[in-house]
């Protein structure tokens, strides 16, 4: 976790998107859900990218960094593809709430 280091919105979103890519890959392993997974992923990546574009250099309080890193840690523990699909819309919303953004 990076909670003790200075972090920006851009840094946090970069870490979140890296973790999200792993979650997406796991969800894609469910063949019948491939299109749904990719549509959902594209929409949430676009939303997170928009926040990063608007606020990339903004510093984050340590508590926000810790919250996002804990969420990243939690999704890294998911090993069931169906559960990964469930989290494809939940995880970005957690990140956005931590950043003070409306989802």
């Amino acid at each position: 976790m990076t909670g003790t280091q200075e972090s920006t919105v851009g840094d946090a979103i970069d870490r979140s998107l890296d973790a999200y890519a792993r979650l997406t890959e796991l969800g894609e392993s469910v063949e019948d859900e491939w299109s749904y997974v990719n549509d959902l992923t594209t929409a949430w990546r676009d939303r997170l990218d928009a926040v990063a574009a608007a606020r990339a250099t903004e510093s984050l309080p340590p508590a926000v960094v810790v919250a996002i890193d804990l969420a990243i840690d939690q999704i890294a523990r998911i090993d069931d593809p169906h559960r990964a699909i469930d989290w494809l819309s939940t995880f970005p919303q957690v990140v956005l709430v931590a950043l003070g953004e409306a989802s």
Side-chain angles (χ1 to χ4, degrees), residues 2-17 48 51-62 64-66 68-69 72 95 98-99:
T2 62
T4 58
Q5 300 173 4
E6 187 168 326
S7 185
T8 64
V9 170
D11 296 333
I13 289 177
D14 285 346
R15 286 193 310 280
S16 297
L17 288 173
L48 290 168
V51 172
R55 298 177 53 198
T57 60
E58 182 182 318
S59 293
L60 291 175
V64 173
V65 176
V66 169
I68 291 171
D69 286 346
I72 289 169
V95 172
L99 293 172

Side-chain angles (χ1 to χ4, degrees), residues 70-94:
L70 285 171
I72 289 169
D73 182 59
Q74 287 300 305
I75 67 165
R77 297 169 190 247
I78 296 171
D79 58 6
D80 176 81
H82 292 93
R83 189 144 199 246
I85 292 170
D86 292 341
W87 275 89
L88 285 173
S89 61
T90 304
F91 174 72
Q93 292 181 67
V94 169

Side-chain angles (χ1 to χ4, degrees), residues 16-31:
S16 297
L17 288 173
D18 288 345
Y20 195 60
R22 183 204 164 271
L23 198 63
T24 299
E25 185 177 316
L26 186 57
E28 285 176 336
S29 68
V30 180
E31 266 186 52

